[in-house]
Amino acid sequence: MTPEQHTAKAPLDTDAVIDRITRFVAEETRTAPDADQDLFTTGLANSMFAMQLVVFLEQTYAVTVAGPDLQLSNFRTVKSMAALVGRLQAQAATGADV
């Protein structure tokens, strides 16, 4: 596990998650998005990049994105991805199965 990866036991720093996701998107698209910017309607993301985002979130934050979490709404903005990470980590911490 790299220093940037988080476990479900560590408290989530939402600002740090937003910053890290923003940096990833900027590295991949060569454009730094605003946290509320819709990545799909602005053309920064497409279905292929969405899969890269899933892999990035899973590897970086030790979460599993599956089933109902694979909705476009969870990946539209940096903030929505950070919220998804927070929710998945909270579920893992409480042992929730969803």
Side-chain angles (χ1 to χ4, degrees):
M1 183 178 305
T2 66
E4 288 187 324
Q5 289 178 317
H6 300 274
T7 65
K9 296 177 185 174
L12 184 69
D13 179 348
T14 304
D15 290 336
V17 174
I18 288 171
D19 180 61
R20 181 63 189 104
I21 295 170
T22 300
R23 285 188 289 130
F24 175 77
V25 172
E27 290 166 5
E28 296 297 317
T29 65
R30 295 186 170 93
T31 303
D34 291 330
D36 290 318
Q37 180 178 348
D38 188 320
L39 302 176
F40 292 89
T41 61
T42 58
L44 289 179
N46 57 28
S47 59
M48 184 65 80
F49 187 56
M51 295 312 301
Q52 287 179 273
L53 291 167
V54 170
V55 172
F56 167 76
L57 295 177
E58 289 183 333
Q59 291 179 347
T60 304
Y61 297 103
V63 297
T64 300
V65 182
D69 294 319
L70 288 170
Q71 295 178 25
L72 185 61
S73 61
N74 287 327
F75 299 91
R76 282 201 178 279
T77 69
V78 170
K79 280 187 177 179
S80 64
M81 286 183 270
L84 174 64
V85 167
R87 185 170 50 75
L88 293 174
Q89 286 188 341
Q91 287 175 352
T94 61
D97 186 28
V98 170

